[in-house]
Amino acid sequence: NAGVTQTPKFQVLKTGQSMTLQCAQDMNHEYMSWYRQDPGMGLRLIHYSVGAGITDQGEVPNGYNVSRSTTEDFPLRLLSAAPSQTSVYFCASSRDRGGATTDTQYFGPGTRLTVL
Amino acid sequence: GDSVTQMEGPVTLSEEAFLTINCTYTATGYPSLFWYVQYPGEGLQLLLKATKADDKGSNKGFEATYRKETTSFHLEKGSVQVSDSAVYFCALGPNTGNQFYFGTGTSLTVIP
């Protein structure tokens, strides 16, 4: 049971490049989400999904796309990278559809992205 | 909307000192409250949680009590160790929507 995995661990992009951050979980969790972590800002929600085929925007969705074609995978796409997207990105999952209030979130190890 | 306000850091303590990290929340209804911990270079992991008013969550010597009357969920530990050095996040579970809300994190350094 690997839990939540993220790849790559580190990435450097040039402004305007696109890329996909991968996230997978093997716990059969319905709810998955992407956060970015910036100094002094804590974790901010980018996008989330309450099940396969369903996604919704969080607090800071601009410049990012997501899709959820399977229960296991939830990739995050940067369409045209900007220096403001330099951050650490975390994927998380929890068991219940709709992110039940009692649910624990399980986090991946993070991807550190630098945009030059 | 729902939100979490967390004590700003960084906090530096000597080993065996008493720790308190303040957390207050704003929410309608009865969300669950969580403390997560992030060790250097790692993702967040659950430290403890409480799902209703007056519940006390506890783990690894840490405790926090869900106080609805003061809308607080302060984290405490009686005697910290060097291994407790980490960033601590207070979080609010989904309430009327589907989002979790995190505080800004408090960095704790424990010196021998």
Side-chain angles (χ1 to χ4, degrees), chain B residues 8-42:
Chain B
E8 290 194 17
V11 175
T12 302
L13 295 174
S14 297
E15 206 164 21
E16 299 184 0
F18 184 85
L19 168 72
T20 299
I21 301 177
N22 290 338
C23 171
T24 57
Y25 68 92
T26 300
T28 55
Y30 304 95
S32 291
L33 297 169
F34 304 82
W35 277 101
Y36 284 85
V37 59
Q38 183 182 30
Y39 297 104
E42 299 183 9

Side-chain angles (χ1 to χ4, degrees), chain A residues 31 37 98-99 101-103 105, chain B residues 32 34 36 38 49 89 94 98:
Chain A
Y31 185 95
Q37 183 181 27
T101 188
T102 59
D103 259 356
Q105 285 206 294
Chain B
S32 291
F34 304 82
Y36 284 85
Q38 183 182 30
K49 69 179 182 182
F89 291 89
N98 290 319

